[in-house]
Amino acid sequence: MPNHIHNTITSNSNNNMLNNSSVTASAKGLIQPALSTQYFQLYHHPPSPALTQWIAYFWEVRWDLTNQPAYTQQNLPHPAQHLIVNPFLDSGIMGVHTRRFEYKLQGKGQVLGCRFNFGALAHLLSVKPKLLNDVYSPVERILPLTQSALDERVREDNLSQAIQDIEQAVLAVAQPLSSDALLAGKIVEAIEANRAIVQVEQLAEQFAISVRKLQRLFADYIGVSAKWTICRYRLFEVLAELDKQPQEQLIHLANRTGYYDQAHFNRVFKAMVGVTPSEYASGIT
């Protein structure tokens, strides 16, 4: 077993409990995280050093609502592709989830995910990444793994072995990423890191490429447009600001994140989150 996995997921009598060195993951993308995290725990685990070009991290969600009412969690996912192992519902390769994602937590369980680096999964595919959006595709499509075996690992709470299986499968098929795949990933990272980016033309200028090439990179490696990606990350920032300061003037918040028409800002927010900004700030979801 790779050392980083051994150090992150240690053994109890069932060989599967997290130890205190596990780091709770960022809440970016969770809708109302202060409420959400009362119902589940989210952890990130780094990949082995040999996998860092392809895998960003493994994520793990655990919940125990035994003898408690079910809870429906809502997320706005990142523009990334994942391998999701959820033996209680759906498993497989998931492209970008373009809409609000809801998941009903009930009883007790755990889900494991592998988030690929931006552009990495598309490098392994023979189809445009957009075709993977919003659907689950069989893991056997791109990796020498069987989904049923992974589901059984997670059902038995043997996440360390599931991670090891996934890493070995990725190593078996991985090829060095092309310069275009790496560039596409860097552009997405720039959007995430720099809240001043609100237009596609800013990206083209920053990376000294044409808007047309920028659009092609996103079509070939990301699966959504650069404009959609900008909108998603700026919306993450709006949610974070409202979570911290629900009384903040919405018009100022909209302007800071590139929306200069309040009505348009309200429409975009409601389409993504399901409620208006003012309703969200009031705790209505």
Side-chain angles (χ1 to χ4, degrees):
M1 179 187 302
N3 288 335
H4 80 279
I5 297 174
H6 178 72
N7 292 335
T8 304
I9 304 178
T10 57
S11 299
N12 69 346
S13 58
N14 293 319
N15 195 33
N16 298 303
M17 290 294 289
L18 289 167
N19 70 2
N20 292 331
S21 68
S22 298
V23 178
T24 301
S26 166
K28 183 183 290 186
L30 298 181
I31 295 177
Q32 289 200 325
L35 174 63
S36 301
T37 51
Q38 297 177 33
Y39 295 91
F40 65 89
Q41 295 78 47
L42 172 63
Y43 302 93
H44 285 176
H45 309 297
S48 295
L51 273 300
T52 55
Q53 188 176 56
W54 298 276
I55 297 175
Y57 53 80
F58 292 91
W59 52 265
E60 171 188 0
V61 175
R62 289 179 175 271
W63 67 93
D64 187 350
L65 299 179
T66 304
N67 298 324
Q68 299 180 54
Y71 174 74
T72 299
Q73 171 57 34
Q74 300 181 77
N75 301 339
L76 285 181
H78 292 246
Q81 290 92 15
H82 299 255
L83 190 168
I84 299 174
V85 189
N86 182 356
F88 309 103
L89 187 60
D90 294 312
S91 295
I93 300 292
M94 167 67 81
V96 178
H97 203 98
T98 61
R99 302 181 293 273
R100 183 172 72 255
F101 177 77
E102 295 186 354
Y103 184 76
K104 187 176 183 179
L105 302 172
Q106 54 189 345
K108 182 178 181 180
Q110 56 281 331
V111 174
L112 177 67
C114 170
R115 173 171 157 176
F116 293 94
N117 285 324
F118 300 119
L121 184 61
H123 197 72
L124 303 174
L125 300 176
S126 58
V127 299
K128 294 289 188 182
K130 183 177 180 179
L131 297 178
L132 299 176
N133 290 354
D134 300 312
V135 296
Y136 287 93
S137 299
V139 68
E140 293 88 347
R141 182 175 183 175
I142 64 168
L143 294 175
L145 282 171
T146 59
Q147 190 67 61
S148 60
L150 284 177
D151 284 346
E152 190 60 27
R153 299 280 197 207
V154 174
R155 184 180 292 107
E156 294 177 348
D157 205 5
N158 192 354
L159 303 192
S160 59
Q161 187 60 56
I163 289 174
Q164 187 174 5
D165 292 346
I166 294 169
E167 289 199 327
Q168 290 174 347
V170 173
L171 276 175
V173 300
Q175 299 290 329
L177 298 187
S178 68
S179 58
D180 276 355
L182 292 170
L183 178 58
K186 289 178 181 178
I187 294 172
V188 177
E189 290 170 357
I191 295 172
E192 181 177 12
N194 186 358
R195 66 189 305 166
I197 295 175
V198 295
Q199 295 181 334
V200 172
E201 290 75 13
Q202 292 173 274
L203 290 169
E205 181 178 356
Q206 178 176 337
F207 287 90
I209 58 176
S210 68
V211 170
R212 183 174 180 179
K213 178 169 183 178
L214 182 73
Q215 293 169 336
R216 180 176 60 79
L217 288 172
F218 274 74
D220 288 346
Y221 296 102
I222 307 303
V224 289
S225 69
K227 181 178 180 180
W228 186 97
T229 303
I230 292 170
C231 178
R232 175 55 57 95
Y233 277 115
R234 299 298 79 87
L235 189 56
F236 283 163
E237 290 156 9
V238 170
L239 289 172
E241 291 292 333
L242 288 176
D243 288 329
K244 289 188 297 185
Q245 302 180 61
Q247 303 307 317
E248 181 169 4
Q249 296 230 359
L250 293 175
I251 189 169
H252 296 157
L253 180 57
N255 290 343
R256 285 208 313 274
T257 51
Y259 292 95
Y260 301 105
D261 181 323
Q262 184 70 38
H264 178 58
F265 171 67
N266 288 342
R267 286 195 300 271
V268 171
F269 189 99
K270 186 170 184 178
M272 289 285 192
V273 181
V275 295
T276 66
S278 58
E279 288 172 333
Y280 184 87
S282 299
I284 303 173
T285 59

